[in-house]
Structures are given as structure tokens and as C-alpha cells.
Amino acid sequence: MAGGFVPKHPWILRSPINNFHYLYQDAEWLHGLAADPNRPSRFEKTRLSRTAVVLYAFSLEALINRAYEAFLPEPIKGFFLEREDRFRHQDKWTLLPLLLGGQESFDTSGYPWSHLVELIGLRNDYAHPKHDRFAYYRLLSPQQMEPLDANQIPPDSDISEKEVLYRQLRIPRDPYSLLPEHLDRVKKVVDDSIQELDRLLAGRLTTGDFLHGDQMTIVYPPGAQFTQDG
């Protein structure tokens, strides 16, 4: 667009919504608020933390769907996008490197895969809450109780460790017990999963501004295009 030119009618621009970007950035913002040492209320920290953990988990789903659309060639892309709801979230992560011709995918016996799968399970717990989800507390006095830690489970009880916490992530299942330090672990899993996917995709995620950018295009008026002066 030449400098100083004002079209008779406003131009209309279109930009794909980078769902990964806003979900991840919002999670980081809430993470920072929750970790603020000047925020005295534990419950306020918990409310911020449990919202952030869900956004971190959703950002991974947004990223893998975005990568399928951006990197798969036709007709493979069309085939998978038409059927994307039939594939489990974790299957999309293992399939994409292979569909792009890679010789390896995630090592499903190690990290970060073990933690990524559990984070996907956490996402499902929050997105599709079931009626049989329980929390456990220690009654210290008639007026005081605290969340039950996994290392405080009485050995003669019927409570298993996996009922109290996500065993790989080592964070509470109880949404009233989440704190900023638990977000630190979740963020590390998110970042490490993205880093490993980028390696398997030969650097496609970190080429250009794929993770956080998008390209605007002019959709009105017909034929209009951006130009550079001089």
C-alpha cells in the first residue's frame, strides 16, 4: 500500500487465528500472576493456577492441529483434516513426524511422552468432568483441614497414589490444591514436548514465526495487495 493512500472503503484483512499462541500466552500470564509473591491469598493463587494449567494443556492440542494444517501435503492433509475428530490427541503427535517422512517419532517409553500423555489426560478431566471425581483432605482439627499429599496416604487405607495426584506430572488431581509450583512442572512438559516435536519435524516449528505469528492477507477490495515504498 503506497504511503499516504487512503482507500475509499476500508480494506478488509484476514488472519488465521493462532490458537496455540493465545492459549499459551494466556497461560503464561496467569502463571505469572499466580506466582506473584505479593499475592497473599492461597485460594487466589489456586484459582489462577487451575485456569492456567487447563490453558497450557489446550495449547498443545491447538499446536498439533495447526501443525497438521500447515505442514501436511495434499492429499494426505485433506484426508486427515476431514477425519481429525477420529484420531486421539496423542496419536496426532506420534503420527505427524512419520507422515512427513521422518524415520522416527516420539519415544513412547520415556520423557517427555510419558508426561505429555498424562497432561492430555488432565485436559480431558477438566474438559469432560465426570461425576466420580474425588478429593481427599486431612482433618487436623474440627476447624482445620488440608489437602492430602501422596506421601501422607495411610498405608492401611484403600486410597491409591493415583487417586491423589497425576503420577508423572506430580501435581494434585484436586483442582482446589493446585499452586504455582505445579504450573512450573506443567510448563516444562509443554515446552519440552514442543521442543521434541520440533526436532522430529526437522525444525519446522521454530522456522520463521510459526509458533506465535500469522500472515495477514487482503480479502477486500479484490486484487488489492501490499506494496513497499521506494
Side-chain angles (χ1 to χ4, degrees):
M1 181 172 13
F5 172 70
V6 179
K8 181 178 179 181
H9 299 288
W11 289 14
I12 299 174
L13 309 179
R14 179 173 62 196
S15 174
I17 296 175
N18 187 336
N19 296 297
F20 166 77
H21 172 73
Y22 79 80
L23 289 167
Y24 184 88
Q25 293 295 319
D26 285 0
E28 283 203 310
W29 182 67
L30 293 170
H31 190 167
L33 291 179
D36 183 354
N38 296 318
R39 193 173 299 279
S41 169
R42 177 187 172 97
F43 185 58
E44 188 175 358
K45 289 176 179 289
T46 293
R47 297 179 76 174
L48 292 165
S49 296
R50 69 179 175 224
T51 304
V53 78
V54 174
L55 296 183
Y56 274 132
F58 273 110
S59 75
L60 288 176
E61 184 174 9
L63 175 62
I64 198 64
N65 289 338
R66 175 174 165 80
Y68 266 73
E69 195 284 328
F71 302 138
L72 281 183
E74 293 289 5
I76 298 175
K77 176 166 68 175
F79 177 88
F80 275 90
L81 292 184
E82 287 174 8
R83 297 164 177 80
E84 65 176 335
D85 291 339
R86 303 181 191 179
F87 293 91
R88 297 185 306 164
H89 183 178
Q90 55 263 47
D91 292 338
K92 294 179 182 180
W93 285 76
T94 55
L95 280 172
L96 184 58
L98 302 176
L99 290 171
L100 289 171
Q103 299 302 307
E104 63 172 328
S105 186
F106 280 84
D107 176 3
T108 57
S109 65
Y111 180 85
W113 181 257
S114 55
H115 293 58
L116 171 61
V117 170
E118 194 169 69
L119 187 53
I120 292 170
L122 178 151
R123 172 256 187 229
N124 293 337
D125 287 342
Y126 280 83
H128 307 290
K130 302 296 192 295
H131 72 282
D132 56 348
R133 187 178 182 186
F134 301 100
Y136 295 88
Y137 300 91
R138 298 174 69 221
L139 185 63
L140 304 179
S141 73
Q143 292 79 33
Q144 184 182 10
M145 64 180 182
E146 67 179 14
L148 176 68
D149 289 335
N151 59 9
Q152 298 170 331
I153 298 174
D156 57 345
S157 74
D158 293 329
I159 304 170
S160 64
E161 184 183 63
K162 67 180 182 180
E163 293 180 86
V164 175
L165 84 169
Y166 295 95
R167 298 180 74 175
Q168 300 294 334
L169 297 168
R170 309 304 295 180
I171 68 173
R173 287 184 176 272
D174 176 12
Y176 289 97
S177 299
L178 284 169
L179 290 170
E181 55 263 33
H182 303 130
L183 290 181
D184 296 340
R185 300 174 198 167
V186 169
K187 183 181 185 303
K188 184 178 189 312
V189 172
V190 171
D191 292 343
D192 289 348
S193 298
I194 293 171
Q195 182 178 358
E196 177 63 3
L197 181 63
D198 186 53
R199 184 186 72 81
L200 294 167
L201 298 185
R204 286 177 173 88
L205 299 185
T206 50
T207 297
D209 196 21
F210 175 79
L211 287 176
H212 297 288
D214 265 312
Q215 182 65 45
M216 285 192 173
T217 57
I218 302 171
V219 296
Y220 180 86
Q225 58 183 321
F226 292 112
T227 60
Q228 293 183 346
D229 294 333

